[in-house]
């Protein structure tokens, strides 16, 4: 197609665009006008219908009063003789426009006499229905007249009730008149309303002037509706028809207009406009071709010839075209482009040489793989670093180059997921080279996409073998307790193992002493954690002062110290233990609250080695058993482990618990369960809490209370936390797309707060899976967050920088202060279950929760109530303003999450599927 033709098409296209725009705007305006006209007509029809209803009710009232004043009926009623009254009723019935005449006698309120145009209308079930009895009660209670509608046996009745007055004074009964509304009645109304009409309920279609069936109308909710019948579109409104109480809907009234009848004049106008527009477009096309030939085609032909020269590689070509318009500017741009292209080629060659020099001289090496994970490029640094020929590795995968190594962590990241890859950074692995030496590598990579398809990875790799050795050396030096400067638990266990081996080698004796401060938690609660820390430091000083040069001291938990006493018998250790007890009893803190007496004591357990054990953990367990025996005997004393008197079950239980946790980690026995946390507004699940269970050898699942204490005591809680976090994030990332917006919370123990390895794990898992961090909330207890406020604040800040949220668990039972929330910046507070279990009956719990919710809301923090076990507690928490609820009343923990589980509680909360709106 030539340029002139294209120019003509451009002109025509622009005119078409204008015409389409004008047509679209006109269509929207006409549509709005038609809809407003239909709505206005329907509103007018409704007003006419309401007026007709009033007149019909007025006619019924007039008829009722006429019948009630007939002497024969009054005389029959005064006799109070039912056969006489019934005979009189038969004479008064039928009457035009009347389908039911019923009398309820004042002296026999349980009996109603009636006549009707249809037999079923005088059945006891009909006469005793709520619709009629409501009107009778209203009149009996003093109403001069009562109105209402009723749907009875698929028959719609307009009802009115009036009192029958005794000429001598008082009321002798209530008269109820009913008028049936059927198909014929609706057809008589249609000319008056000038609209289509339908009257129906959920069970029957009373009548309709529309070609509609009941099933087609049942789905129309009260209010404005649009629907189609037999290919024709309708616009209308559904109104509720109410019973005598003025609240209960008994049927629905549909008023509707066919939309097509309003569009007829506009369609004729549109056809005429289309013919005129077509003629204008033809003229514009002809003029466009003539003008473009003179002004565009010839100059552009010269430019086209120039581009062919350039395409042939002749960058010295110059476009010779002198014009004072855009085409002249285009020719100048061609010439400038040629100059830029020459310079770009020179820069490209320079950059190629620069990249080659960088790749040659860098201590790191560069790599690239294709979509199948095969190497497509390896820089010269590969050979320099590993001593392997990179050219021979091209076309092979990582696993083929290093066949003896486990590279699953790397190959899993190089596999595309849903035709896309995820970037990874600083992945470390160890590979074995052909000379049997090993190297530690740090690898980073990013996915490559070509033509919007995954094409492989490219990245960098570094040999960090020397750095890893240095890190291991640093790790050996990082075994101090930060508060006291003593050896921490890990270092102490290493030193204790060494002392045991030395004692065995030289046939010597030694003693392990375990010192536990009495009532440290009470001291912290009474005087503050600063005082508690000061006492720990003082006790550490006492131990260092009284220890010998060869003794080893360690702080193995919050309030526990351990000492190895080599070349010392148990009898000699007794004297040392008593000296330590006496010295600890004299410790007094410098900082304390006025009026708070501070008395410090300790309980000590002693066990000998190697006679009473050679395993460090076993020895600590035995010393722990002796220490607890000292506590049971009154505290501020020591006890020596005696296998015949100490509880073997206590020691065996500790060791068995440690082994269960280790097997759970090594054999992947930890399983995830998920408990829903729902919004109190609509009952929909907001997010799930991730809970952990451990499966034993028999296949039975155990709750956290069965293994978390052991994991904390034996220093395994960090490994457990990391395993659960890793497993949870990868599980969430694999959920189906239908659950792609659901959030999850994951619990962290206090020992994981501030741990660099945990932060690195979280960041790595999020990068590898591509999971949206906003879906993850990390929960930690109030106590854990506040034991080291500065460390916790920094840790939580790093978590939030990743995009995750923070929730504070068990709020209200620990520090119970809102002041630290300014530093922690949490997103949610989880109210401890002790305030929720009895909240429905405990006024103090209600006041506490209300105060907590108000303060949290003022700080922009949402609240969660756990242990919600009843409907009464849920409704009360709704009124108190809690944001989310959790507990067995909402949903139990489940191993799998389904779409149905997202809405289960919402359906139980609102089984009708929505709020009830009174029309």
């Amino acid at each position: 197609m030539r340029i002139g033709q294209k120019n003509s098409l451009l002109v025509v296209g622009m005119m078409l665009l204008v015409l389409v725009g004008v047509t679209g705007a006109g269509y929207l305006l006409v549509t709005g006008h038609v809809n407003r006209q239909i709505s206005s007509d329907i509103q007018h029809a409704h007003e006419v219908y309401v007026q007709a209803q009033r007149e019909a009710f007025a006619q019924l009232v007039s008829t009722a009063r006429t019948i009630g004043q007939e002497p024969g009926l009054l005389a029959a009623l005064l006799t109070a003789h039912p056969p006489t009254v019934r005979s009189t009723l038969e004479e008064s019935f039928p009457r035009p426009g009347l389908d039911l005449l019923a009398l309820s006698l004042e002296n026999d309120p349980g009996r109603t006499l009636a006549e009707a145009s249809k037999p079923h209308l005088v059945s006891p079930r009909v006469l005793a229905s709520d619709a009629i009895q409501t009107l009778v009660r209203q009149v009996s209670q003093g109403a001069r007249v009562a109105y209402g509608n009723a749907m009875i046996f698929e028959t719609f009745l307009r009802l009115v009730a009036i009192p029958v007055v005794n000429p001598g004074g008082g009321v002798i009964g209530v008269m109820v008149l009913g008028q049936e509304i059927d198909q014929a009645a609706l057809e008589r109304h249609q000319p008056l309303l000038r609209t289509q009409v339908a009257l129906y309920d959920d069970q029957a279609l009373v009548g309709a002037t529309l070609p509609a069936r009941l099933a087609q109308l049942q789905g129309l909710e009260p209010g404005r509706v649009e629907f189609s019948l037999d290919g024709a579109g309708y616009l209308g409104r559904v109104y509720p028809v109410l019973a005598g109480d003025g609240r209960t809907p008994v049927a629905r009234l549909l008023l509707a207009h066919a939309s097509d009848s309003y569009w007829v004049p506009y369609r004729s106008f549109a056809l005429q406009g289309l013919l005129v527009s077509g003629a204008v477009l033809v003229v514009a096309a002809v003029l466009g071709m003539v003008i473009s030939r003179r002004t565009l085609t010839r100059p552009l032909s010269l430019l086209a010839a120039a581009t062919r020269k350039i395409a042939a590689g002749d960058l010295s070509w110059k476009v010779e075209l002198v014009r004072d318009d855009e085409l002249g500017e285009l020719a100048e741009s061609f010439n400038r482009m040629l100059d830029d292209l020459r310079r770009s080629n020179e820069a490209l060659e320079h950059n190629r040489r620069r990249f080659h020099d960088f790749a040659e001289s860098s201590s790191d090496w560069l790599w690239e793989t294709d979509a199948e994970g095969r190497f497509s490029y390896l820089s010269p640094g590969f050979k320099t670093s590993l001593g392997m020929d990179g050219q021979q590795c091209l076309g092979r995968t990582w696993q083929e180059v290093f066949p003896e190594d486990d590279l699953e962590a790397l190959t899993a990241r190089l596999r595309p997921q849903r035709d896309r890859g995820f970037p990874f950074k600083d992945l470390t692995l160890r590979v074995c080279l052909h000379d049997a030496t090993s190297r530690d590598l740090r690898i980073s990579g990013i996915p490559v996409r070509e033509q919007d398809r995954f094409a492989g990875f490219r990245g960098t790799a570094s040999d960090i073998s020397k750095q890893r050795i240095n890190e291991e050396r640093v790790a050996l030096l990082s075994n101090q307790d930060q508060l006291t400067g003593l050896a921490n638990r890990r270092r102490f266990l290493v030193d204790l193992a060494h002392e045991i081996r030395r004692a065995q080698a030289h046939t010597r004796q030694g003693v392990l002493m375990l010192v536990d401060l009495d009532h440290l938690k009470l001291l912290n609660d009474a005087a503050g954690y600063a005082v508690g820390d000061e006492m720990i430091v003082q006790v550490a000083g006492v131990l260092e002062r009284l220890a010998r040069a060869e003794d080893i001291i360690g702080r193995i938990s919050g309030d526990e110290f351990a000492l190895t006493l080599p070349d010392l018998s148990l009898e000699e250790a007794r004297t040392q233990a008593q000296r330590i007890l006496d010295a600890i009893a004299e410790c007094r803190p410098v900082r304390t609250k006025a009026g708070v007496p501070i008395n410090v004591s300790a309980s000590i357990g002693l066990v000998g080695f190697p006679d009473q054990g050679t395993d460090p953990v076993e020895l600590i367990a035995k010393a722990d058993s002796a220490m607890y025996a000292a506590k049971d005997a009154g505290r501020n004393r020591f006890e020596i482990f005696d296998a015949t008197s100490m509880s073997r079950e206590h020691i065996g239980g500790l060791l068995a618990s440690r082994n269960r946790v280790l097997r759970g980690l090594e054999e992947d026995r930890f399983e995830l369960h998920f408990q829903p946390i729902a919004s109190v507004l609509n009952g929909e699940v907001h997010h799930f809490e991730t809970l952990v269970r451990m499966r034993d050898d028999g296949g039975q699942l155990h709750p956290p209370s069965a293994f978390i204490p052991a994991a904390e005591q034996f220093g395994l809680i960090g490994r457990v936390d990391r395993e659960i976090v890793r497993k949870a994030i990868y599980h969430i990332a694999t959920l189906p797309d239908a659950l792609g917006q659901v959030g999850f919370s994951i619990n962290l123990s206090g020992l994981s707060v501030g741990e660099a390895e945990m932060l690195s794990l979280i960041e790595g898992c999020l990068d590898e899976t591509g999971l949206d961090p906003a879906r993850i909330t990390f929960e930690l207890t109030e106590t854990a967050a506040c034991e080291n406020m500065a460390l916790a604040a920094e840790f939580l800040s790093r978590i939030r920088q990743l995009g995750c949220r923070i929730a504070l668990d068990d709020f209200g039972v620990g520090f119970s202060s809102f002041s630290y929330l300014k530093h922690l910046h949490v997103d949610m507070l989880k109210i401890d279950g002790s305030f929720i279990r009895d909240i429905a009956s405990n006024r103090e719990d209600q006041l506490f929760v209300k105060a907590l919710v108000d303060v949290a809301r003022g700080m922009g923090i949402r609240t969660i109530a756990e242990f919600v076990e009843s409907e009464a507690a849920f409704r009360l928490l709704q009124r108190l303003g809690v944001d989310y609820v959790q507990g067995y009343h909402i949903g139990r923990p489940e191993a799998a999450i389904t779409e149905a589980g997202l809405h289960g509680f919402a359906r139980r909360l609102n089984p009708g599927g929505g709020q009830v709106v009174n029309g």
Side-chain angles (χ1 to χ4, degrees):
M1 184 179 290
R2 307 302 296 174
I3 190 71
Q5 296 170 325
K6 292 181 179 179
N7 191 50
S8 298
L9 287 178
L10 176 63
V11 174
V12 172
M14 292 180 63
M15 294 188 66
L16 276 175
L17 183 62
V18 173
L19 290 174
V20 169
V22 172
T23 302
Y27 175 79
L28 293 176
L29 291 174
V30 171
T31 300
H33 173 73
V34 168
N35 289 343
R36 287 192 298 273
Q37 186 62 44
I38 293 176
S39 298
S40 176
D41 292 345
I42 290 174
Q43 179 63 30
H44 174 73
H46 181 253
E47 293 172 357
V48 173
Y49 177 83
V50 171
Q51 183 60 35
Q53 280 279 85
R54 292 172 179 168
E55 294 175 0
F57 275 122
Q59 183 63 36
L60 278 177
V61 171
S62 176
T63 302
R65 287 174 176 165
T66 300
I67 296 174
Q69 294 173 1
E70 291 179 357
L73 180 61
L74 287 175
L77 290 173
L78 290 174
T79 64
H81 184 244
T84 303
V85 176
R86 180 174 297 280
S87 175
T88 306
L89 281 178
E90 292 176 352
E91 295 175 359
S92 302
F93 194 87
R95 295 201 179 197
L98 199 62
D99 297 288
L100 172 65
L101 175 59
L103 284 171
S104 178
L105 304 181
E106 184 71 20
N107 59 356
D108 191 7
R111 186 166 186 179
T112 303
L113 304 175
E115 288 292 330
S117 61
K118 295 180 180 179
H120 68 274
L121 295 179
V122 294
S123 66
R125 182 179 173 186
V126 172
L127 297 178
S129 65
D130 289 341
I132 293 179
Q133 293 303 317
T134 298
L135 299 179
V136 172
R137 284 194 297 272
Q138 290 177 358
V139 173
S140 300
Q141 293 170 0
R144 298 182 57 187
V145 63
Y147 307 95
N149 299 288
M151 177 68 81
I152 304 174
F153 292 118
E154 301 184 355
T155 300
F156 185 87
L157 289 176
R158 183 185 293 133
L159 297 171
V160 67
I162 67 170
V164 181
V165 181
N166 188 340
V171 175
I172 59 177
V174 177
M175 180 185 300
V176 180
L177 272 65
Q179 184 180 41
E180 180 181 358
I181 306 299
D182 54 10
Q183 176 68 28
L186 290 178
E187 291 175 354
R188 290 193 299 271
H189 276 87
Q190 185 184 15
L192 179 65
L193 301 177
R194 290 184 295 179
T195 184
Q196 302 295 333
V197 188
L199 185 63
Y200 61 98
D201 69 355
D202 292 336
Q203 305 296 327
L205 176 62
V206 176
T209 61
L210 292 162
R213 297 184 300 275
L214 178 61
Q216 296 172 302
L217 301 177
Q218 286 176 330
L220 303 180
E221 296 295 333
R224 187 178 183 273
V225 294
E226 293 185 32
F227 58 96
S228 298
L229 295 174
D230 295 341
Y234 289 85
L235 182 65
R237 182 173 289 273
V238 177
Y239 299 91
V241 181
L242 305 180
D245 56 7
R247 297 184 303 273
T248 305
V250 299
R252 297 178 182 177
L253 175 70
L254 170 65
L255 301 176
H257 275 290
S259 303
D260 289 346
S261 62
Y262 286 79
W263 279 94
V264 171
Y266 300 103
R267 288 173 180 159
S268 175
F269 174 77
L271 179 60
Q272 296 174 8
L274 182 62
L275 295 176
V276 173
S277 300
V280 172
L281 289 176
V282 170
V283 173
V286 173
L287 290 176
M289 293 180 66
V290 172
I291 295 172
S292 64
R293 263 192 200 139
R294 295 182 178 180
T295 59
L296 291 177
T297 303
R298 183 176 175 278
L300 289 179
S301 296
L302 295 175
L303 290 172
T307 57
R308 287 192 291 271
K309 290 286 187 179
I310 296 170
D314 186 0
L315 298 182
S316 62
W317 182 268
K318 291 289 184 180
V319 179
E320 303 294 341
L321 181 64
V322 179
R323 292 175 62 107
D324 292 331
D325 56 10
E326 289 81 358
L327 290 176
E329 295 176 0
L330 180 59
E332 293 178 5
S333 297
F334 259 91
N335 294 329
R336 287 195 298 269
M337 180 188 68
L338 288 171
D339 295 336
D340 293 341
L341 187 57
R342 282 192 295 270
R343 287 192 293 268
S344 296
N345 285 341
E346 294 171 357
L348 182 61
E349 179 61 24
H350 176 72
N351 289 335
R352 188 191 66 80
R353 290 195 300 268
R354 176 186 294 169
F355 172 77
H356 183 268
D357 293 341
F358 284 153
E360 286 278 359
S361 60
S362 175
S363 59
D364 293 348
W365 45 277
L366 311 179
W367 58 270
E368 185 178 56
T369 61
D370 60 17
E372 303 300 326
R374 297 185 294 263
F375 282 116
S376 56
Y377 174 78
L378 285 169
S379 70
F382 176 77
K383 183 174 182 179
T384 303
S385 178
L386 303 182
M388 302 173 63
D389 188 349
Q391 291 299 319
Q392 295 181 1
C393 297
L394 296 181
R396 301 164 64 189
T397 65
W398 282 87
Q399 193 66 61
E400 291 171 345
V401 174
F402 305 103
E404 299 180 7
D405 302 304
D406 181 10
L407 304 181
E408 179 59 29
L410 175 60
T411 55
R413 287 161 176 77
L414 296 178
R415 289 192 210 101
Q417 299 178 13
R418 300 177 185 173
D419 194 32
R420 59 176 297 192
F422 297 99
F424 60 92
K425 186 177 182 181
D426 296 339
L427 176 67
T428 59
L429 52 88
R430 176 165 293 180
V431 297
C432 183
L433 305 184
H434 298 316
D435 59 1
T437 62
S438 62
R439 294 286 193 277
D440 289 311
L441 303 180
R442 176 180 290 132
I443 301 174
S444 300
I446 59 173
V448 178
R449 299 187 69 82
E450 294 179 357
Q451 297 179 352
D452 202 30
R453 292 186 62 83
F454 174 76
F457 273 84
R458 65 169 61 110
T460 62
S462 306
D463 184 351
I464 59 168
S465 301
K466 294 182 179 179
Q467 179 182 345
R468 178 59 62 88
I469 294 173
N470 293 333
E471 289 175 352
E472 291 175 354
R473 291 175 179 171
V474 172
L476 292 176
L477 300 175
S478 61
N479 292 313
Q480 273 191 340
D481 175 59
Q482 295 183 0
L483 180 61
T484 63
L486 301 176
N488 59 19
R489 183 185 184 92
R490 181 177 61 181
R491 181 70 240 176
F492 183 81
L493 287 174
V494 173
D495 293 339
L496 176 59
H498 174 73
E499 288 297 331
I500 295 171
R501 289 192 298 269
R502 193 172 71 86
Q504 288 176 310
H506 296 86
T507 318
R508 297 178 179 177
Q509 296 295 316
V511 176
L512 171 65
M513 178 185 295
L514 194 67
V515 181
D516 185 275
L517 297 184
D518 296 329
H519 305 303
L520 180 64
K521 184 178 186 305
L522 295 178
L523 176 63
N524 286 333
D525 292 341
Y529 279 83
V531 175
D533 289 347
E534 182 183 347
M535 292 310 306
I536 290 173
V537 173
Q538 287 192 26
V539 171
V542 167
L543 298 177
E544 288 182 304
R545 186 176 70 252
L546 297 180
R548 301 171 302 165
E550 62 269 27
D551 295 343
I552 299 172
I553 312 170
R555 183 188 179 202
I556 61 175
S557 69
D559 56 358
E560 281 188 338
F561 298 86
L563 294 86
T564 61
L565 308 174
D567 302 324
L568 203 67
S569 67
L570 285 171
E571 287 301 319
E572 294 171 321
R574 295 167 64 94
T575 303
Q576 180 73 339
Q578 189 59 53
R579 291 175 62 202
I580 290 175
L581 289 175
D582 294 341
I584 291 176
E586 296 176 359
C587 292
R588 293 293 184 272
V590 176
R591 294 175 297 180
T592 184
K593 295 181 179 179
V596 179
I598 302 298
N599 295 312
V600 184
S601 65
S603 300
I604 298 178
L606 301 171
V607 62
F609 63 84
D611 291 346
Q612 292 182 306
T614 58
D615 179 77
V617 175
E618 179 184 355
L619 279 174
I620 288 182
K622 290 179 178 180
D624 186 73
S625 180
M627 180 270 294
Y628 273 105
K631 286 186 179 292
D632 294 340
R635 292 184 170 83
N636 195 27
R637 57 186 296 127
F638 63 86
E639 291 287 345
I640 299 175
F641 175 76
D642 182 358
T644 60
S645 60
M646 298 297 177
S647 172
R648 294 188 178 183
E649 291 79 7
H650 177 73
I651 301 171
L654 289 174
L655 296 177
S657 297
R658 181 200 66 169
N659 292 334
R660 280 197 299 270
V661 176
L662 286 173
R663 284 203 308 275
L665 290 168
E666 295 167 358
E667 300 173 7
D668 193 21
R669 294 189 176 191
F670 292 108
E671 298 181 13
L672 303 180
H673 283 59
F674 303 91
Q675 187 173 23
I677 298 176
S679 168
V680 298
L681 296 179
N682 54 21
E684 293 287 349
V685 172
H686 179 263
H687 65 281
F688 288 85
E689 182 179 5
T690 305
L691 306 173
V692 62
R693 305 288 187 265
M694 187 173 72
R695 194 171 295 277
D696 62 16
D697 295 335
Q700 182 178 358
L701 286 176
H702 293 275
S705 58
F707 54 88
I708 292 298
E712 292 176 340
Q713 182 170 2
F714 291 100
L716 300 173
I717 190 63
R719 290 180 60 187
V720 172
D721 270 357
R722 291 191 293 273
E723 174 66 12
I724 297 307
V725 169
R726 182 195 63 79
K727 180 174 288 192
I729 291 178
Y730 275 91
H731 178 81
I732 295 165
T734 59
L735 291 174
D737 293 340
L739 302 173
Q741 302 301 319
V742 182
F744 294 83
S745 63
I746 305 173
N747 291 281
L748 294 179
S749 70
L751 296 177
S752 293
V753 175
E755 191 181 53
E757 192 173 356
M758 175 61 75
L759 276 172
S760 182
L761 173 74
I762 294 171
E763 184 176 8
C765 289
L766 292 174
D767 287 343
E768 292 163 13
T769 60
L771 184 66
D772 181 7
R775 295 178 61 191
I776 302 298
T777 300
F778 287 101
E779 287 190 19
L780 64 156
T781 64
E782 176 189 11
T783 303
C786 299
E787 283 182 343
N788 191 330
M789 183 70 69
L791 183 64
E794 181 181 359
F795 179 82
L796 298 186
S797 177
R798 293 283 302 278
I799 292 291
R800 290 174 64 87
Q801 287 174 8
L802 294 176
C804 302
R805 294 185 171 89
I806 300 297
L808 211 54
D809 198 4
D810 298 339
F811 189 81
V813 296
F815 293 79
S816 301
S817 170
F818 283 89
S819 61
Y820 57 77
L821 293 180
K822 295 185 295 183
H823 306 289
L824 295 179
H825 303 294
V826 301
D827 302 286
M828 299 180 188
L829 292 181
K830 206 167 189 181
I831 306 170
D832 188 76
S834 60
F835 300 102
I836 306 300
R837 287 190 181 94
D838 302 321
I839 193 169
S841 57
N842 190 308
R843 178 62 177 170
E844 289 76 14
D845 287 349
Q846 295 173 19
L847 293 174
F848 175 86
V849 171
K850 178 60 177 173
L852 191 154
V853 169
D854 290 342
V855 175
R857 179 167 296 166
M859 300 178 71
I861 302 174
R862 296 189 176 276
T863 50
I864 304 173
E866 54 184 356
F867 291 93
V868 180
E869 312 294 350
S870 66
E871 181 70 12
F874 171 74
R875 296 299 179 186
L876 180 58
L877 292 168
Q878 267 188 324
R879 295 196 296 272
L880 293 177
V882 172
D883 298 297
Y884 307 108
V885 287
Q886 176 184 10
Y888 283 179
H889 182 64
I890 314 304
R892 293 177 177 268
E894 299 289 346
I897 305 173
T898 62
E899 290 187 61
L902 287 177
H903 313 291
F905 178 68
R907 286 193 293 269
R908 288 189 284 118
L909 174 65
N910 185 11
Q915 295 181 346
V916 178
V917 179
N918 183 5

